[in-house]
Amino acid sequence: MEIQKFSHSATALAHPNIAFIKYWGNRDDALRLPANGSISMNLEGLDTRTRVHFDGSLRLDELQIDGVPTGGESLERVKRVLDEVRRLAVMQVFATVDSQNNFPLGVGIASSASGFAALALSASGAVGIDMDESSLSRLARLGSGSACRSIPGGFVEWVTGTGDLDSFAASIAPQGYWDLQDCIVLLSSEPKTIGSSLGNKLAGTSPFQASRVADTPRRLSICRKSILDRDFNAFATIVEEDSNLMHSVMRTSCPPLFYWLPESLTVMQAVRVARAAGLHACYTIDAGPNVHIICEALVSGDVVKLVENLPGVREVRLAKAGGPARLVDNSAQA
Ligand code: PMV
């Protein structure tokens, strides 16, 4: 076929995920091979929908996020994934990527995770290369580490592996296994100043990172078992410990990264007091000020009441465990 006439597109949908055991720091920055394994839950109802159109008449790759033409580092990361798809498909056609989110960007909800998971699936789907779940997870990882966890559904573990071929994520329990809910307490809608890609590169500058990484197999095993046993108290303790450990590394890296606001700490303390009084809720925070309160879905109304009037709380968004990334349209034309 003439290159000029090449026109293949596909659209995929993926959810962000919230990590219970966090990924922070790479063994290999280019391949995003993580320093430690991680466990997360996909977030239902928060969606990124990405359409990729490989078009033989284009001279360059083009990216739009929520309708805004986007270049710079975001486009470079998108190209990294598209280049890998072009290599696998043995073709040299540029693409337009149009990504739409139904939640705010850069505020601690991992839009890069859902974005790169949807991109991996739509780009490979558009050119018709057949990739299994682990290959898609590896492809998404090239754009954003945590994106590899948004390919499989439900509760997911990303294993460090020994290299590119065996560092991918897989489900450890399906979406409906445990009725957990993430109550996302939005404190700020300001985009963060240092994103997680750069932050991940700084992790090794903290003297605490080596001991955090060395202790990860213990935390992974407790977290995995607590999910499989649906043991909320064991789960809550390890999730909070893991988040505190990651933020200790962040705050002691060079330069230091302070993602919490004073209001974040107020929410965290309210959650701890309520749990001591019997509420099945715990907190975790990513690379932003917003607090994710993980609870059993039955008590999410109590969690909302607990925090909605605390200082600085703008909104509380609820999300249950979500499904895998999926193709929603595949309209390849020759
Ligand atoms: O995948 P990245 O580069 O956006 O890094 C994600 C890092 C955290 O969200 C802070 C932790 C995690 O495991 O999701």
Side-chain angles (χ1 to χ4, degrees):
M1 190 205 320
E2 250 182 84
I3 279 232
Q4 285 271 323
K5 296 204 176 126
F6 192 99
S7 176
H8 290 252
S9 68
T11 304
L13 182 148
H15 304 296
N17 63 74
I18 179 66
F20 300 145
I21 301 296
K22 310 290 190 189
Y23 147 60
W24 196 245
N26 291 321
R27 322 197 292 282
D28 180 318
D29 284 327
L31 287 171
R32 294 179 198 268
L33 297 176
N36 62 276
S38 51
I39 292 179
S40 61
M41 175 179 97
N42 285 353
L43 298 177
E44 189 176 62
L46 301 175
D47 304 333
T48 300
R49 197 176 271 265
T50 298
R51 178 176 186 265
V52 174
H53 180 198
F54 286 97
D55 176 349
S57 66
L58 290 172
R59 298 285 159 135
L60 289 169
D61 292 320
E62 291 170 7
L63 171 65
Q64 286 212 352
I65 301 179
D66 293 332
V68 179
T70 307
E73 210 235 308
S74 303
L75 179 61
E76 288 310 310
R77 287 165 69 185
V78 163
K79 280 191 201 159
R80 177 83 175 89
V81 174
L82 294 175
D83 283 345
E84 181 62 8
V85 169
R86 285 186 276 258
R87 190 185 71 78
L88 293 168
V90 196
M91 56 100 155
Q92 278 304 330
V93 176
F94 292 110
T96 55
V97 174
D98 188 355
S99 193
Q100 307 273 348
N101 298 286
N102 70 353
F103 56 93
L105 295 186
V107 295
I109 302 177
S111 55
S112 61
S114 48
F116 283 103
L119 174 67
L121 189 53
S122 52
S124 56
V127 294
I129 43 176
D130 193 17
M131 296 181 80
D132 61 12
E133 186 184 88
S134 53
S135 309
L136 282 167
S137 177
R138 287 173 44 226
L139 177 61
R141 194 197 72 225
L142 298 177
S144 163
S146 56
C148 77
R149 296 189 312 240
S150 281
I151 293 286
F155 299 85
V156 172
E157 179 165 357
W158 173 15
V159 293
T160 50
T162 55
D164 175 41
L165 292 178
D166 59 356
S167 183
F168 55 82
S171 287
I172 53 173
Q175 189 180 0
Y177 187 81
W178 193 10
D179 205 7
L180 288 187
Q181 193 144 18
D182 184 1
C183 308
I184 309 164
V185 185
L186 295 172
L187 296 165
S188 161
S189 56
E190 294 297 308
K192 56 197 169 196
T193 43
I194 299 210
S196 41
S197 273
L198 177 56
N200 268 307
K201 290 184 187 160
L202 299 177
T205 64
S206 164
F208 295 160
Q209 170 72 346
S211 50
R212 190 192 75 90
V213 168
D215 178 62
T216 309
R218 179 190 69 88
R219 299 193 308 283
L220 285 170
S221 129
I222 295 173
C223 183
R224 196 185 305 117
K225 183 169 184 323
S226 69
I227 292 171
L228 295 178
D229 294 348
R230 301 184 188 90
D231 176 348
F232 195 86
N233 288 329
F235 173 80
T237 307
I238 204 68
V239 167
E240 290 188 354
E241 182 185 337
D242 187 83
S243 173
N244 295 342
L245 275 169
M246 180 182 73
H247 285 273
S248 305
V249 168
M250 291 164 158
R251 283 198 290 269
T252 50
S253 67
C254 189
L257 304 172
F258 298 99
Y259 286 116
W260 299 357
L261 292 172
E263 291 85 355
S264 317
L265 191 57
T266 305
V267 172
M268 291 155 71
Q269 279 166 335
V271 169
R272 286 188 64 82
V273 169
R275 188 161 77 258
L279 185 71
H280 273 185
C282 63
Y283 67 77
T284 185
I285 306 188
D286 279 345
N290 298 316
V291 184
H292 295 251
I293 303 178
I294 315 297
C295 66
E296 288 181 328
L298 270 178
V299 300
S300 61
D302 297 330
V303 170
V304 173
K305 272 194 216 126
L306 176 73
V307 297
E308 66 187 348
N309 293 319
L310 291 179
V313 174
R314 301 157 59 101
E315 191 188 337
V316 184
R317 287 236 184 169
L318 303 184
K320 290 193 179 192
R326 50 210 178 265
L327 279 173
V328 288
D329 176 35
N330 197 344
S331 54
Q333 313 138 32

